[in-house]
Amino acid sequence: MALNYSLFAVFYKWKHLTCGEDGEHLGQSEEEQWEKPKSKLTRKHKHCTFGDKGELPLGYICTSVVRGMLHPSTGEYQFIPSVVIRYMASLLDESIAISPTTVSVQELIKRPLDSVPKRFIRLDSTPQAGPSDLNGLPTIDMKKLLGITSDSSDESFNGELGRLHFSCREWGIFQLVNHGVSSSFLQQLRHEIEGFFKLPLKEKMKYKANPGESDGYGNVVRTEKNHLDWGDRLFMTINPISKRKPHLFPELPPSLRSTLETYIQELKKIAIQILKCLAICLGIDTNLMMDLFKEEKGLETLRATYYPPCPQPELVVGLTPHSDATAITILHQITNCVNGLQIKRNGMWFPVDIPDDAFIVNMGDIMEIISNGAYPSIEHRAMVNTESERISVAMFFNPRLDAQVGPAASLVSPKSPARFRRFIMDEYVKGFFAHPMNGKSYLNGLKIMNEASDGDDLKEEA
């Protein structure tokens, strides 16, 4: 396999910087050989074309492929000192981009990696509790909410509604069982999603995020300091159908597309039933709630995320801490027995143990707004480990883009004034994706700060 001349040019430049005309080293130590090319080599040398693999980080090529090379015209063998190779490898922090908008961690870990590149390092001083400290998430039985259990009765239904209300008010998250999606179908979904992430990079790059857009494949920067998450995702707008990106869902492999279509329809049914039950619990007219989430117009998005193993998992975050910009989110963990979801509760991070085939449902910022603070959104993150990959699929359910969203009128009174301002959903979505992910900071910017709200709020400016 031949190396492109641009790769040779980098090392040819090194030779004339550190060697005499006859190619002999000028009595320099290894560190002296290292410092000179380190100061002289420029960013334009960072990438090259290598055989049929397309553009790859030069550090990848130097550490994994070559220790020397042939001059393309003279055929002379050029020795590449280890110091130069070490320098080229050090460029990895700046050269992991597959495109201007896309980074693939899955590709990064294919090279020998003893330490985490700097752009991924995320030190967090927030204390982390052990699994035993959580005592398990609340569990909601979907069959009881649907009234189809063997002991169906108003008492059974109302009892489950009470548990749902408690879960949303005190936790903002619960696990959903007996949801009606079969284990065999979830296995099929797992097979298809895993298959997508196993596709060659060239195939996956057909679905990359376009500049300025969130939809697409890769790892999009959403933090103030341009840190990267240790994970690759495929994010797509699903509904309204007119909002689907033409290069994404319509162009997915047919088997994956068909499976996702079925999955989406099943989760829509679940989401609508949950939203109706939440309206009942809150005392909101169910017709008003359903008008916000009109089936053909409600904003629905999907994110499949692949979290690779990491040599230093304590230094990275699989998914930045945040609350969801949704009414509700339904999460399915594809890989059984590989947990990574953590929730923030009482100022500490708690790992969540997700049972096989159970869904995790959490309240998002929109539900906190509609409920006027009664159902708080839950801040959460994803963590990784050294040995096992983890894959999850999340569906996000939101009001229609033209809906005016704010606290439900039935929940606002002189004694309980509106805690959030009203807005058009489309404006909210655009603002959220333009805002760095940072806990619940975006939601906090929508609060109406008044004397009647909690004491930690300041009065809104007139």
Side-chain angles (χ1 to χ4, degrees):
M1 184 182 291
L3 289 172
N4 182 280
Y5 182 79
S6 60
L7 176 58
F8 173 82
V10 175
F11 297 115
Y12 189 75
K13 183 179 180 72
W14 167 84
K15 177 183 176 186
H16 285 279
L17 288 169
T18 62
C19 304
E21 289 301 317
D22 60 354
E24 294 293 324
H25 294 287
L26 300 179
Q28 296 172 314
S29 68
E30 184 171 285
E31 291 305 317
E32 288 173 327
Q33 296 173 36
W34 164 253
E35 288 300 326
K36 204 164 188 177
K38 180 179 177 182
S39 64
K40 296 291 185 180
L41 292 177
T42 60
R43 187 176 293 242
K44 69 181 180 180
H45 299 121
K46 195 167 54 182
H47 287 86
C48 67
T49 300
F50 182 70
D52 58 357
K53 291 188 178 181
E55 192 176 53
L56 292 172
L58 193 53
Y60 178 97
I61 295 171
C62 294
T63 56
S64 302
V65 181
V66 295
R67 293 283 176 176
M69 62 180 298
L70 298 178
H71 191 291
S73 58
T74 67
E76 180 184 0
Y77 186 83
Q78 303 288 318
F79 170 68
I80 306 171
S82 61
V83 291
V84 176
I85 294 174
R86 280 161 42 205
Y87 167 61
M88 304 316 294
S90 75
L91 292 176
L92 182 62
D93 276 2
E94 298 179 357
S95 64
I96 58 174
I98 302 300
S99 78
T101 58
T102 307
V103 170
S104 175
V105 186
Q106 192 175 1
E107 292 300 311
L108 172 64
I109 65 167
K110 289 182 179 179
R111 62 177 294 278
L113 194 65
D114 296 325
S115 61
V116 172
K118 293 179 182 178
R119 287 192 69 190
F120 291 93
I121 295 178
R122 310 279 288 279
L123 300 178
D124 185 5
S125 59
T126 304
Q128 181 173 323
S132 59
D133 297 325
L134 187 63
N135 295 323
L137 297 183
T139 299
I140 299 300
D141 189 328
M142 191 70 191
K143 284 186 177 181
K144 290 182 179 180
L145 289 181
L146 292 171
I148 58 175
T149 57
S150 57
D151 61 342
S152 294
S153 65
D154 289 343
E155 183 178 348
S156 175
F157 174 69
N158 291 333
E160 205 62 20
L161 279 181
R163 281 184 282 275
L164 177 64
H165 179 61
F166 172 84
S167 301
C168 297
R169 185 188 65 211
E170 301 298 328
W171 287 77
I173 188 171
F174 57 88
Q175 55 190 10
L176 187 69
V177 298
N178 293 326
H179 44 65
V181 183
S182 69
S183 297
S184 59
F185 178 76
L186 292 178
Q187 286 296 318
Q188 179 184 342
L189 177 67
R190 172 179 179 170
H191 173 75
E192 296 293 345
I193 296 294
E194 287 180 340
F196 173 83
F197 285 110
K198 289 178 181 177
L199 288 173
L201 180 61
K202 183 179 180 181
E203 290 296 312
K204 288 184 290 192
M205 287 306 293
K206 295 177 182 178
Y207 311 103
K208 68 181 180 181
N210 292 323
E213 295 182 352
S214 298
D215 286 44
Y217 164 76
N219 185 329
V220 178
V221 174
R222 286 288 307 279
T223 65
E224 292 178 330
K225 297 182 179 179
N226 292 326
H227 288 138
L228 292 169
D229 292 340
W230 193 266
D232 298 338
R233 95 284 195 273
L234 176 65
F235 182 84
M236 300 179 291
T237 299
I238 300 301
N239 202 57
I241 293 178
S242 61
K243 294 293 183 179
R244 293 183 179 183
K245 302 296 181 184
H247 76 293
L248 292 176
F249 196 89
E251 296 299 320
L252 291 176
S255 181
L256 172 59
R257 187 172 67 247
S258 176
T259 300
L260 283 177
E261 283 282 20
T262 301
Y263 183 70
I264 290 165
Q265 293 306 315
E266 290 297 317
L267 262 64
K268 278 186 179 183
K269 297 175 186 177
I270 295 172
I272 291 299
Q273 185 63 28
I274 291 175
L275 289 167
K276 287 180 178 178
C277 290
L278 293 180
I280 295 172
C281 292
L282 290 166
I284 301 173
D285 188 322
T286 56
N287 291 326
L288 293 178
M289 181 73 89
M290 289 302 98
D291 182 63
L292 289 175
F293 297 87
K294 283 184 176 178
E295 187 171 342
E296 71 280 5
K297 292 185 177 181
L299 176 62
E300 297 159 9
T301 54
L302 180 145
R303 186 187 68 223
T305 311
Y306 177 93
Y307 303 102
C310 177
Q312 297 174 297
E314 70 281 359
L315 298 181
V316 305
V317 175
L319 185 61
T320 298
H322 68 289
S323 56
D324 291 338
T326 63
I328 62 172
T329 300
I330 303 179
L331 173 75
H332 172 52
Q333 183 167 272
I334 294 288
T335 44
N336 296 335
C337 304
V338 183
N339 293 318
L341 176 65
Q342 295 186 352
I343 61 172
K344 198 171 190 178
R345 184 169 169 81
N346 300 325
M348 298 182 69
W349 286 112
F350 291 87
V352 176
D353 185 14
I354 304 178
D356 293 353
D357 294 344
F359 292 155
I360 298 296
V361 181
N362 66 268
M363 303 297 103
D365 293 348
I366 293 297
M367 186 54 67
E368 181 167 344
I369 293 168
I370 292 174
S371 70
N372 203 26
Y375 291 169
S377 59
I378 184 75
E379 187 176 344
H380 55 282
R381 67 182 183 182
M383 304 302 287
V384 298
N385 62 76
T386 57
E387 298 176 357
S388 303
E389 66 183 15
R390 177 174 174 261
I391 304 175
S392 65
V393 180
M395 271 204 70
F396 308 95
F397 295 89
N398 262 322
R400 49 190 167 84
L401 288 170
D402 62 348
Q404 188 179 78
V405 179
S410 60
L411 302 179
V412 177
S413 68
K415 291 185 178 181
S416 180
R419 297 171 60 90
F420 303 92
R421 64 180 179 83
R422 303 185 70 81
F423 50 83
I424 301 300
M425 189 64 201
D426 190 36
E427 297 173 357
Y428 171 88
V429 172
K430 291 176 181 177
F432 177 81
F433 282 105
H435 187 82
M437 288 180 71
N438 181 19
K440 299 180 67 169
S441 61
Y442 186 64
L443 174 68
N444 291 336
L446 300 173
K447 284 184 175 180
I448 295 175
M449 312 305 180
N450 54 57
E451 293 176 350
S453 63
D454 291 343
D456 58 351
D457 294 338
L458 299 175
K459 201 168 187 177
E460 183 185 29
E461 293 181 0

